[in-house]
Amino acid sequence: MLSLFALLFTVIFIASCKPDDPDDPNEEEVITKVTLTFTDVSTGAAVLEAIYSDPDGAGGAGPVRFDSIRLDSAKTYNVRIALFDESDASNVKNITTEVQAEAADHLFCYTATGANVTVTKTDSDGTFPIGITTSWAAGLPSTGTMRVELRHQPDGAKNGTCTPGSTDVQLDFVVIVD
C-alpha cells in the first residue's frame, strides 16, 4: 500500500510540472553600440561616423562614447545605422542583421528637435519603411537633438507609424548644423 501511494504521488508530481517556456523568437535585443555612418550625397564620400557605445548595457556604467553629429547646412547625406551587442567582447553580435530579418516587426523612428534636419527612410519591408537606411537633409544652421529609436512592432502591429509596439533602443544625439 505504501509503494502504491508513493507511485501515485510521483505520477501526480511529474504530471503537475510544466515544461520550461520556449524562447520568445521576438525577444528584445541587447543593443550596446549604435553607429550612424554618413555619406555626402554630392561626393559619395563617407564624411562622419557617429557612435554610441555602452559595453555593459543599460543600468550599469554610463556610455563610454556618445558622439555629436555635425552636418553642413544645405547638404544631403545618406545614412546607414548599425546595431551591435558587444556585451561579450569575444562574441560581438551584429543586431542589424536580426532587425533586417525581422523587418516586418521593426521600425526606426527619427525625431529632430531644434535641429533643422529632415530624415526620410529609404528602405522598406515591402509594405512599410524600416529606417536602416535614410536620407538626412540639413537645412539652415541650428543646434538640437535627433532621437533615434528602434520600435519593436510584432504580430501585425506595424502600421508605418512610431506609436505601436515597444522600444528596443532610444538615443538622443546632439546635432549641430553649421
Side-chain angles (χ1 to χ4, degrees):
M1 181 78 167
L2 186 56
S3 354
L4 183 60
F5 180 76
L7 177 64
L8 181 62
F9 177 79
T10 303
V11 169
I12 291 172
F13 178 76
I14 291 172
S16 69
C17 292
K18 294 181 182 177
D20 291 336
D21 291 335
D23 290 336
D24 179 1
N26 294 315
E27 184 177 332
E28 188 174 303
E29 313 298 350
V30 175
I31 299 169
T32 62
K33 182 178 180 182
V34 175
T35 303
L36 296 166
T37 304
F38 291 76
T39 303
D40 186 324
V41 169
S42 63
T43 66
V47 293
L48 174 68
E49 185 174 72
I51 296 173
Y52 167 86
S53 179
D54 187 4
D56 69 349
V64 297
R65 183 171 177 181
F66 202 161
D67 294 342
S68 295
I69 298 169
R70 186 174 293 273
L71 305 174
D72 291 332
S73 63
K75 285 210 172 192
T76 301
Y77 302 87
N78 288 327
V79 182
R80 180 167 182 81
I81 192 167
L83 311 169
F84 301 93
D85 175 2
E86 296 182 326
S87 58
D88 178 355
S90 65
N91 184 26
V92 174
K93 296 177 186 168
N94 185 341
I95 304 301
T96 315
T97 56
E98 294 178 30
V99 171
Q100 286 175 315
E102 300 172 1
D105 295 338
H106 289 94
L107 175 69
F108 282 95
C109 300
Y110 298 88
T111 308
T113 303
N116 193 356
V117 178
T118 302
V119 176
T120 304
K121 297 172 188 110
T122 58
D123 57 353
S124 167
D125 64 14
T127 304
F128 298 110
I130 304 167
I132 294 172
T133 59
T134 54
S135 174
W136 292 38
L140 296 173
S142 58
T143 300
T145 61
M146 179 66 70
R147 174 164 287 171
V148 177
E149 181 177 11
L150 175 59
R151 300 289 292 169
H152 187 155
Q153 302 175 328
D155 305 323
K158 187 174 181 181
N159 64 9
T161 70
C162 297
T163 305
S166 60
T167 300
D168 283 341
V169 68
Q170 178 179 301
L171 301 170
D172 290 324
F173 284 90
V174 171
V175 176
I176 301 153
V177 179
D178 291 324

